[in-house]
Amino acid sequence: MDSPLLGEAREQALAKREHDFLLFGSQATPFARDLFRSGIADDLREYLEHGFLHDGDADGPVQKVAAGDDEDGLDACGGKLTLRDGVLIFGRYNNHGNGDCYYACVPGVEVPAFFSICIESGMDSGEAYEFSVSEPMDWQQFLAHLPPA
C-alpha cells in the first residue's frame, strides 16, 4: 500500500532517484517499505531526543518538547525535540555521519509540504545534535533539492 501522502507517481519518482546513499525504500514491497521508513523515523526520533533546533526552524516538522538544562546534559540553547503529529519520514541521505539528512512529508490543507531535516553537528563529538530544517518545498522543489542520482 502506498502512503496516501505520497501516492504511486511520487513513489515511482523516488525509486528512480534511490541509490547507495539516498534511501527511500521505494523499490521494496509496500510492507518492507513501511518497515524501512518506520525504522529510519525511529532513528531520527532518537537523534532528536538529544538535539537542538534553531528558532528559525521551529515551524516545520520538528518541535521542541522540553528546554535544555544541566540535568539534561544539554547546553542552554538545547532541548529535547520530536516530530510533529502526522509527519511521514520517507527517506534518508546517509552521509556516514557528516550531515545525514532525513526527508519528511507534512500533510497540508491542499497539498503536502516536503522538508529536509539535517543533522549539522554532534554525531562524532558526543555533544547535542544540531538540526536544521529546510523551508517547506512543493514536490518539484523537493526533487530538485535531492542529491544527484
Short mmCIF file of all heavy atoms in Angstrom, two decimals, residues 5 13 34 37-38 46-47 53 57 67-68 71-72 83 91 110 117 121 127 135-136 139 143:
data_model
loop_
_atom_site.label_atom_id
_atom_site.label_comp_id
_atom_site.label_asym_id
_atom_site.label_seq_id
_atom_site.Cartn_x
_atom_site.Cartn_y
_atom_site.Cartn_z
N LEU A 5 -0.04 10.09 1.45
CA LEU A 5 0.58 11.39 1.23
C LEU A 5 1.47 11.42 0.00
O LEU A 5 1.62 12.45 -0.63
CB LEU A 5 1.41 11.81 2.45
CG LEU A 5 0.63 12.20 3.68
CD1 LEU A 5 1.58 12.52 4.82
CD2 LEU A 5 -0.26 13.40 3.39
N ALA A 13 8.84 8.14 -8.75
CA ALA A 13 9.89 9.16 -8.90
C ALA A 13 11.00 8.95 -7.89
O ALA A 13 12.19 9.08 -8.22
CB ALA A 13 9.30 10.56 -8.77
N ASP A 34 7.32 0.19 4.29
CA ASP A 34 6.79 0.75 5.54
C ASP A 34 7.70 0.42 6.72
O ASP A 34 7.92 1.25 7.60
CB ASP A 34 5.38 0.24 5.80
CG ASP A 34 4.35 0.81 4.84
OD1 ASP A 34 4.67 1.80 4.13
OD2 ASP A 34 3.24 0.25 4.78
N ARG A 37 10.82 2.66 6.45
CA ARG A 37 10.51 4.04 6.83
C ARG A 37 10.23 4.19 8.32
O ARG A 37 10.61 5.18 8.93
CB ARG A 37 9.35 4.56 5.99
CG ARG A 37 9.78 4.76 4.54
CD ARG A 37 8.66 5.20 3.66
NE ARG A 37 9.16 5.39 2.30
CZ ARG A 37 8.39 5.62 1.26
NH1 ARG A 37 7.08 5.71 1.41
NH2 ARG A 37 8.93 5.78 0.07
N SER A 38 9.60 3.20 8.90
CA SER A 38 9.38 3.21 10.34
C SER A 38 10.72 3.17 11.08
O SER A 38 10.91 3.88 12.07
CB SER A 38 8.50 2.02 10.73
OG SER A 38 8.34 1.95 12.11
N GLU A 46 15.31 9.22 17.85
CA GLU A 46 16.35 9.03 18.86
C GLU A 46 17.36 10.19 18.81
O GLU A 46 17.76 10.71 19.85
CB GLU A 46 17.05 7.70 18.64
CG GLU A 46 17.99 7.33 19.77
CD GLU A 46 18.51 5.92 19.63
OE1 GLU A 46 17.73 5.00 19.30
OE2 GLU A 46 19.71 5.73 19.85
N TYR A 47 17.78 10.58 17.63
CA TYR A 47 18.68 11.73 17.49
C TYR A 47 18.00 13.01 18.01
O TYR A 47 18.62 13.82 18.68
CB TYR A 47 19.10 11.94 16.04
CG TYR A 47 20.06 10.90 15.51
CD1 TYR A 47 19.78 10.22 14.33
CD2 TYR A 47 21.25 10.61 16.17
CE1 TYR A 47 20.65 9.28 13.83
CE2 TYR A 47 22.13 9.67 15.68
CZ TYR A 47 21.83 9.00 14.50
OH TYR A 47 22.69 8.06 14.01
N LEU A 53 17.43 22.81 17.97
CA LEU A 53 16.94 23.37 16.73
C LEU A 53 16.99 24.88 16.85
O LEU A 53 16.59 25.43 17.88
CB LEU A 53 15.49 22.91 16.53
CG LEU A 53 14.77 23.19 15.25
CD1 LEU A 53 15.41 22.42 14.10
CD2 LEU A 53 13.32 22.75 15.38
N ASP A 57 13.91 27.50 12.57
CA ASP A 57 13.47 26.23 12.01
C ASP A 57 12.24 25.67 12.72
O ASP A 57 11.77 24.60 12.39
CB ASP A 57 14.59 25.18 12.11
CG ASP A 57 15.80 25.53 11.29
OD1 ASP A 57 15.64 26.18 10.24
OD2 ASP A 57 16.91 25.16 11.69
N ALA A 67 12.86 22.27 27.28
CA ALA A 67 14.04 23.14 27.26
C ALA A 67 15.22 22.38 27.83
O ALA A 67 15.07 21.54 28.71
CB ALA A 67 13.76 24.40 28.06
N GLY A 68 16.39 22.69 27.34
CA GLY A 68 17.61 22.05 27.85
C GLY A 68 18.04 22.68 29.16
O GLY A 68 17.81 23.85 29.42
N GLU A 71 20.68 19.27 33.88
CA GLU A 71 20.27 17.90 34.17
C GLU A 71 20.16 17.07 32.90
O GLU A 71 20.40 15.87 32.90
CB GLU A 71 18.93 17.90 34.91
CG GLU A 71 19.03 18.48 36.30
CD GLU A 71 17.66 18.56 36.97
OE1 GLU A 71 16.76 17.80 36.59
OE2 GLU A 71 17.52 19.39 37.87
N ASP A 72 19.76 17.71 31.79
CA ASP A 72 19.65 17.00 30.52
C ASP A 72 21.01 16.74 29.89
O ASP A 72 21.13 15.93 28.98
CB ASP A 72 18.84 17.81 29.50
CG ASP A 72 17.37 17.90 29.85
OD1 ASP A 72 16.89 17.08 30.64
OD2 ASP A 72 16.73 18.81 29.32
N LEU A 83 9.15 14.79 16.45
CA LEU A 83 8.42 15.08 15.22
C LEU A 83 7.01 15.51 15.56
O LEU A 83 6.40 15.00 16.50
CB LEU A 83 8.37 13.84 14.32
CG LEU A 83 9.70 13.36 13.77
CD1 LEU A 83 9.55 12.01 13.09
CD2 LEU A 83 10.28 14.39 12.80
N GLY A 91 12.48 9.05 3.79
CA GLY A 91 13.77 8.82 3.16
C GLY A 91 14.91 9.34 3.99
O GLY A 91 14.73 10.08 4.96
N GLU A 110 -4.26 21.61 1.16
CA GLU A 110 -4.49 21.21 -0.23
C GLU A 110 -3.43 20.25 -0.74
O GLU A 110 -3.75 19.27 -1.41
CB GLU A 110 -4.55 22.45 -1.12
CG GLU A 110 -5.75 23.33 -0.80
CD GLU A 110 -5.82 24.53 -1.72
OE1 GLU A 110 -5.30 24.46 -2.84
OE2 GLU A 110 -6.41 25.53 -1.30
N ILE A 117 15.42 17.39 6.88
CA ILE A 117 15.82 17.56 8.28
C ILE A 117 17.25 17.05 8.37
O ILE A 117 17.49 15.84 8.21
CB ILE A 117 14.92 16.76 9.23
CG1 ILE A 117 13.45 17.15 9.05
CG2 ILE A 117 15.38 16.93 10.68
CD1 ILE A 117 12.48 16.20 9.72
N SER A 121 25.67 18.84 13.26
CA SER A 121 26.85 18.55 14.07
C SER A 121 26.43 17.70 15.26
O SER A 121 25.26 17.53 15.53
CB SER A 121 27.49 19.85 14.56
OG SER A 121 26.62 20.53 15.44
N GLU A 127 28.28 15.46 21.57
CA GLU A 127 27.51 16.58 22.11
C GLU A 127 26.09 16.51 21.57
O GLU A 127 25.74 15.64 20.80
CB GLU A 127 28.18 17.88 21.71
CG GLU A 127 29.57 18.04 22.29
CD GLU A 127 30.26 19.31 21.81
OE1 GLU A 127 29.60 20.12 21.12
OE2 GLU A 127 31.44 19.46 22.11
N GLU A 135 13.18 25.04 4.43
CA GLU A 135 11.89 25.70 4.22
C GLU A 135 10.95 24.67 3.60
O GLU A 135 11.41 23.71 2.96
CB GLU A 135 12.05 26.89 3.27
CG GLU A 135 12.86 28.03 3.86
CD GLU A 135 12.15 28.70 5.01
OE1 GLU A 135 10.92 28.89 4.94
OE2 GLU A 135 12.83 29.03 6.00
N PRO A 136 9.64 24.83 3.73
CA PRO A 136 8.73 23.89 3.08
C PRO A 136 8.92 23.94 1.56
O PRO A 136 9.16 25.01 0.99
CB PRO A 136 7.34 24.37 3.48
CG PRO A 136 7.52 25.69 4.11
CD PRO A 136 8.94 25.88 4.46
N TRP A 139 6.56 19.45 -4.36
CA TRP A 139 7.17 18.23 -4.86
C TRP A 139 8.32 18.51 -5.82
O TRP A 139 9.38 17.91 -5.72
CB TRP A 139 6.11 17.34 -5.51
CG TRP A 139 6.67 16.06 -6.03
CD1 TRP A 139 6.73 15.66 -7.32
CD2 TRP A 139 7.26 14.99 -5.27
NE1 TRP A 139 7.32 14.42 -7.42
CE2 TRP A 139 7.64 13.99 -6.17
CE3 TRP A 139 7.48 14.79 -3.90
CZ2 TRP A 139 8.26 12.81 -5.77
CZ3 TRP A 139 8.08 13.61 -3.51
CH2 TRP A 139 8.46 12.64 -4.43
N LEU A 143 12.31 17.49 -5.28
CA LEU A 143 13.11 16.67 -6.20
C LEU A 143 14.38 17.40 -6.62
O LEU A 143 15.46 16.81 -6.69
CB LEU A 143 12.30 16.26 -7.43
CG LEU A 143 11.19 15.24 -7.19
CD1 LEU A 143 10.41 15.00 -8.48
CD2 LEU A 143 11.71 13.95 -6.60
#
